[in-house]
Amino acid sequence: MAALPSPLRVCRGILKELRVIQGHSYKQSLAYSYVMDQFRRNKITGERYCRAQQEAYHAAHTYLCLLTSTRNHLVLHNLYHGKGERSPQEVAGLVGLKLPTQPGGKGWEK
């Protein structure tokens, strides 16, 4: 298993995602209060409130991953979806390709 970042970094990451979602008034939200309360409660030891030693920390890291992945999904969805029919040149440009061009036309028109 890969090494997990520090609990402070996970807490800051979750708060950053909340700020992106809710704007600058995120400190008045219930989610902010809950996250801060849970991190303060589990600050002393994870074994006090959890069966496994790292369970609360792992749950927080998983929640941060969920928030980040959801935001990235929405960005990609808005970028690539819902634009209607696209021209072949635009579709090729989306994936980093260029359509071939022939000098003097395609050869079949007269």
Side-chain angles (χ1 to χ4, degrees):
M1 185 170 135
L4 297 172
S6 71
L8 180 61
R9 186 170 291 217
V10 172
C11 182
R12 285 181 178 168
I14 291 173
L15 296 179
K16 176 186 168 198
E17 293 297 327
L18 286 176
R19 186 173 56 243
V20 168
I21 293 169
Q22 297 178 350
H24 292 291
S25 64
Y26 72 101
K27 287 188 177 182
Q28 286 80 26
S29 70
L30 290 174
Y32 175 82
S33 301
Y34 180 77
V35 167
M36 292 307 293
D37 181 52
Q38 290 300 310
F39 270 94
R40 286 182 185 125
R41 238 188 231 168
N42 293 311
K43 183 168 70 171
I44 299 171
T45 177
E47 294 174 10
R48 183 174 169 193
Y49 295 102
C50 304
R51 289 183 181 166
Q53 183 177 359
Q54 299 282 330
E55 186 176 345
Y57 174 62
H58 182 71
H61 187 262
T62 304
Y63 186 62
L64 173 61
C65 182
L66 171 74
L67 289 174
T68 306
S69 299
T70 302
R71 181 174 48 86
N72 289 337
H73 170 73
L74 288 175
V75 167
L76 290 173
H77 181 77
N78 291 334
L79 181 64
Y80 292 111
H81 190 266
K83 302 233 176 163
E85 190 68 27
R86 298 176 187 221
S87 68
Q89 291 84 8
E90 188 179 359
V91 172
L94 284 175
V95 294
L97 301 174
K98 293 171 90 177
L99 291 179
T101 58
Q102 293 182 2
K106 296 183 178 160
W108 52 265
E109 65 269 347
K110 293 189 180 195

